């Protein structure tokens, strides 16, 4: 990919006031593909193919291609309301098919790509999701179609076969679906339990990104650059919402980013991207690559870099801002946000023209009774995820932990969705984050097409399962309730240990998990090592933790690279790691005590 030469000077960041913002009130009552038709004539989608070159599709053109694709899908047996599973790398053919599913009024279910060469595990996960979705069709690559044929309860067809098909010729265009029709069946991350499917409507998808844009200063004049996997809520919802709003979008396959992380910021520089979104680890990775092998980047156009999907490390955020700032990234472009699949995507967010607040363990107002009312604060610095998005409410309620309350299968306290007494906590007190607003979904998809309300109460408040507190109207997230570590009679945050362990040379960043052993109150830290002397590495991690945290772990377990259990989107699965530890299934290289 060619990149413009910045020269000696970095351009001044564009004025936010020059860009139109999305507004929730302006979202039309129409499904996504009909909103594509209202985009400005030159706005559209650029799909990057680093082998064959980019392909450009204008939104209005995509709306027409979607109608043709809908006819073909209908000829293959899919009908409005049916689920259609999509399993393929990001490509122009996949995106045309996705738009065709939307135009048909069917429900796309985007499947995770295999993270490792473990065919049996991959097929088992796809089979489980296909069984949950009960689709009329699975659309995939020719290779995957051959692999899955006869092994899943759905007919499989390849993208190439659909593209070449003439079965839809002469068929009438299907009726335009309602904005209240389900536009997406998205699976939760599965960090604390098996992932479950959440139905999201066209109106919720477009409205949620409109709310993000209204808060962050993003709108139809912007250009989004993304590598995010479409099977992850952050990937598909931002794509659909930005497309519905008529902004330009530049997409690359997730595999291209993972193989060469520098391509992400290279594309931002080349295409003058003004908006991007990613988990915290990806920004840290982009900064490390740029620091090791500086590229001639001009990131001055990037006004909003949404940072979400996992805990945000304050120190890493600062380092990222400095390294990418040397390449022109504006001072306040990194925008921490908070969201979850059960609320469509975004819940809170900061704007790209204001500094991000960071609080230490003792910072912030000491509200009367706050310390007694809630859980203790983490021992690390916390990054604000901003105030609630327009139309969304957030409050903090008293919550138990794994030792204090029974837990349902989804990891939430047993009283989270009940009608028992509710205790709303004051500013500064740590409790369960509760959300209410138009993005909150009706619950989890069940067999037969119904919904299980899960953590959503009758009054519309969603129990997120996350611990956090409010300060000055902004949300600070502390961690997951079910991930809390119980050791020495105290409730501890695994992130406090994980971030310290990751700072030790030889430990792979983002590849540490901390947990306690049930019934024993023993703290264990599991870390992937990239040091030849794993015994010395384990000792360094243990000694560093003993100096940095109040309650030292009982042991540090060094395991082989790429063996830590994670979700399909790369999040840490702490309970799965604990189960593997208990069963002796971890690939242990050394244990330090």
């Amino acid at each position: 990919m060619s990149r413009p030469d910045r020269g000696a000077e970095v351009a001044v960041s564009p004025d936010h006031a020059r860009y139109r913002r999305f507004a929730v009130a302006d979202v039309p009552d129409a499904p996504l593909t009909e909103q594509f038709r209202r985009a400005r004539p030159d706005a559209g989608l650029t799909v990057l193919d680093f082998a064959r070159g980019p392909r450009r599709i204008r939104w209005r053109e995509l709306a027409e291609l979607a109608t043709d694709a809908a006819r073909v899908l209908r000829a293959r047996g899919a009908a409005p309301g049916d689920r259609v599973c999509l399993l393929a790398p990001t490509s122009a053919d996949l995106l045309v098919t996705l738009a065709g599913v939307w135009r048909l009024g069917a429900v796309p279910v985007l499947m995770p790509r295999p993270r490792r060469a473990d065919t049996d595990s991959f097929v088992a996960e796809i089979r489980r999701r296909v069984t949950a979705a009960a689709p009329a069709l699975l659309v995939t690559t020719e290779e995957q179609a051959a692999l899955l044929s006869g092994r899943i309860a759905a007919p499989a067809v390849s993208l190439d076969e659909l593209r070449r098909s003439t079965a839809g010729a002469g068929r009438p265009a299907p009726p335009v679906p309602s904005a209240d029709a389900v536009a997406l069946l998205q699976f939760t991350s599965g960090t604390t339990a098996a992932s479950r499917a959440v139905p999201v409507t066209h109106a919720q998808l477009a409205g949620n990104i409109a709310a993000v844009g209204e808060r962050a200063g993003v709108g139809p004049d912007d250009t989004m650059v993304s590598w995010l996997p479409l099977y992850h809520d952050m990937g598909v919802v931002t794509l659909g919402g930005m497309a519905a709003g008529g902004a330009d979008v530049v997409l690359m396959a997730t595999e291209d980013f993972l193989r060469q992380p520098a391509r992400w910021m290279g594309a931002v520089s080349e295409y003058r991207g003004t908006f991007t979104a990613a988990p915290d680890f990806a920004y840290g990775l982009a900064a490390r690559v740029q620091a090791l092998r500086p590229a001639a980047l001009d990131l001055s156009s990037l006004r909003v870099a949404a940072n979400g999907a996992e805990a945000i490390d304050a120190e890493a955020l600062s380092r990222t801002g400095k390294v990418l700032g040397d390449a022109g990234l504006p001072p306040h472009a990194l925008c921490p946000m908070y969201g979850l699949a059960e609320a469509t995507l975004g819940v809170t967010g900061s704007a790209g023209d204001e500094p991000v607040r960071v609080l230490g363990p003792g910072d912030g107002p000491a509200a009367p009774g706050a310390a007694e009312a809630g859980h203790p604060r983490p021992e690390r610095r916390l990054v604000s995820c901003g105030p609630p998005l327009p139309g969304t409410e957030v409050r903090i309620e008293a919550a138990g932990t794994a030792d204090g309350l029974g837990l349902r299968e989804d990891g939430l306290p047993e009283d989270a969705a009940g009608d028992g007494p509710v205790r709303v906590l004051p500013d500064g007190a740590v409790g369960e984050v509760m959300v209410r607003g138009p993005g909150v979904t009706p619950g989890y998809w069940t067999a037969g097409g119904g919904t299980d309300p899960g953590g959503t109460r009758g009054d519309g408040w969603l129990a997120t399962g996350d611990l956090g507190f409010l300060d000055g109207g902004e949300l600070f997230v502390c961690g997951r309730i079910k991930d809390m570590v119980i050791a020495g009679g105290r409730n501890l945050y695994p992130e406090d240990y994980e971030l310290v362990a990751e700072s030790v040379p030889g430990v792979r960043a983002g590849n540490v998990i901390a947990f306690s052993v049930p019934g024993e109150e023993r703290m264990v830290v599991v870390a992937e090592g990239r040091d030849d002397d794993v015994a010395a590495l384990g000792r360094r991690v243990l000694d560093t933790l003993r100096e940095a945290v109040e309650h030292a772990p009982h042991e540090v377990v060094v395991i082989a690279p790429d063996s830590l259990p994670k979700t399909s989107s790369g999040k840490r699965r702490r309970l799965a790691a604990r189960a593997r530890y208990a069963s002796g299934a971890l690939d242990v290289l050394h244990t330090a005590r």
Side-chain angles (χ1 to χ4, degrees):
M1 178 188 297
S2 61
R3 296 178 175 85
D5 185 2
R6 289 194 298 124
E9 299 295 329
V10 172
V12 177
S13 178
D15 184 356
H16 283 245
R18 292 173 47 207
Y19 286 77
R20 292 177 292 163
R21 296 187 179 210
F22 292 141
V24 175
D26 294 339
V27 176
D29 185 22
L32 296 174
T33 51
E34 295 309 295
Q35 294 186 49
F36 296 171
R37 299 181 187 276
R38 307 178 189 196
R40 67 181 190 273
D42 62 332
L45 169 70
T46 301
V47 183
L48 301 183
D49 185 324
F50 292 92
R52 294 179 290 183
R55 179 178 172 186
R56 175 75 173 173
I57 307 173
R58 291 181 174 82
W59 296 127
R60 295 185 182 186
E61 178 189 356
L62 183 59
E64 298 302 325
L65 292 172
T67 301
D68 293 339
R71 291 189 178 102
V72 174
L73 290 166
R74 187 72 187 93
R76 294 302 300 248
D82 284 346
R83 274 73 60 206
V84 176
C85 292
L86 303 174
L87 173 61
T90 299
S91 67
D93 286 344
L94 175 66
L95 294 163
V96 169
T97 304
L98 171 61
V101 177
W102 281 330
R103 177 60 182 83
L104 177 61
V107 183
V109 185
L110 291 134
M111 297 290 195
R113 302 274 296 155
R115 293 183 65 238
R116 299 186 181 95
D118 184 348
T119 300
D120 290 341
S121 297
F122 167 65
V123 171
E125 176 63 12
I126 296 302
R127 184 186 295 120
R128 191 183 69 77
R129 295 194 181 208
V130 166
T131 300
L137 197 64
L138 182 141
V139 182
T140 185
T141 63
E142 289 186 345
E143 178 186 5
Q144 301 293 2
L147 173 67
L148 297 170
S149 178
R151 304 175 77 173
I152 58 171
V157 60
S158 74
L159 285 167
D160 286 343
E161 186 178 347
L162 288 183
R163 177 171 49 80
R164 296 190 302 261
S165 175
T166 59
R171 286 177 173 263
V176 176
S178 163
D180 293 325
V182 177
L184 187 65
L185 203 60
Q186 64 181 10
F187 282 80
T188 60
S189 63
T191 53
T192 57
S195 58
R196 303 178 69 184
V198 178
V200 176
T201 67
H202 288 257
Q204 286 177 313
L205 195 154
N208 191 257
I209 295 305
V212 171
E214 187 172 331
R215 161 57 40 72
V218 176
D221 299 328
D222 281 286
T223 297
M224 179 179 85
V225 177
S226 177
W227 56 267
L228 293 171
L230 297 182
Y231 58 77
H232 189 271
D233 53 0
M234 185 185 285
V236 68
V237 174
T238 52
L239 166 65
M242 294 294 284
D248 274 305
V249 175
V250 178
L251 290 185
M252 70 176 68
T254 304
E255 293 82 357
D256 286 330
F257 164 73
L258 295 176
R259 281 192 291 264
Q260 296 190 38
R263 284 176 166 170
W264 177 26
M265 289 300 151
V268 170
S269 178
E270 180 174 355
Y271 287 89
R272 309 308 297 146
T274 58
F275 172 69
T276 193
D280 190 53
F281 86 87
Y283 289 104
L285 180 57
R288 286 197 298 276
V289 169
Q290 178 65 11
L292 289 171
R293 295 184 293 275
L297 300 176
D298 178 0
L299 303 181
S300 62
S301 63
L302 187 54
R303 297 180 298 107
V304 177
N307 185 336
E310 61 183 4
I312 298 171
D313 180 358
E315 282 69 30
L317 188 73
S318 177
R319 289 194 299 271
T320 298
K322 183 179 186 306
V323 172
L324 299 185
D326 290 341
L329 184 74
H332 308 313
L334 289 168
C335 297
M337 296 187 174
Y338 168 75
L340 65 163
E342 292 88 340
T344 301
L345 179 63
V347 170
T348 71
S350 51
D353 55 357
E354 58 190 32
V356 174
R357 293 179 62 210
V358 178
L359 295 180
D363 295 339
E372 295 76 14
H375 291 280
R377 290 263 191 98
E379 297 179 4
R380 65 190 184 280
R381 298 170 71 211
L382 296 175
V383 176
S384 168
C385 292
L389 300 179
T392 297
E393 300 173 80
V394 174
R395 74 185 187 193
I396 307 298
E397 294 184 6
T401 64
D403 270 14
L405 290 174
L407 290 166
R408 305 198 316 255
E409 288 185 0
D410 57 9
L412 299 178
E414 287 178 342
D415 66 348
D419 298 321
V422 171
R423 187 156 59 103
V424 180
L425 301 182
D427 269 16
V430 177
E432 183 165 17
V433 179
M434 306 291 294
V435 178
R436 183 166 66 179
V440 173
T441 64
Y444 298 108
W445 182 269
T446 62
T451 53
D452 170 3
T456 304
R457 297 195 305 230
D459 58 2
W461 284 99
L462 168 67
T464 66
D466 288 319
L467 288 174
F469 62 92
L470 291 170
D471 185 306
E474 299 183 16
L475 177 65
F476 292 78
V477 179
C478 301
R480 294 285 296 170
I481 292 175
K482 198 171 182 181
D483 282 342
M484 288 289 285
V485 172
I486 312 299
R490 299 185 57 215
N491 295 331
L492 308 171
Y493 293 92
E495 293 90 347
D496 289 352
Y497 292 78
E498 291 161 357
L499 292 176
V500 170
E502 287 173 21
S503 70
V504 177
V507 174
R508 300 185 72 219
N511 290 279
V512 179
I513 285 181
F515 53 81
S516 60
V517 179
E520 299 182 30
E521 293 202 350
R522 277 196 301 121
M523 155 79 83
V524 177
V525 173
V526 178
E528 288 188 5
R530 50 181 173 81
D531 194 307
D532 291 337
D533 190 345
V534 292
L537 176 62
R539 176 53 55 187
R540 288 200 304 272
V541 173
L542 187 58
D543 290 345
T544 301
L545 286 167
R546 283 173 172 167
E547 293 177 3
V549 297
E550 185 175 343
H551 185 95
H554 173 74
E555 63 184 8
V556 170
V557 179
V558 182
I559 63 174
D562 298 320
S563 63
L564 203 68
K566 291 187 176 183
T567 69
S568 59
S569 57
K571 293 183 180 179
R572 309 168 215 242
R573 298 181 61 208
R574 297 184 179 93
L575 297 185
R578 186 173 73 182
R580 292 187 188 181
Y581 169 86
S583 66
L586 289 174
D587 189 0
V588 177
L589 302 178
H590 180 75
T591 299
R593 293 187 178 90

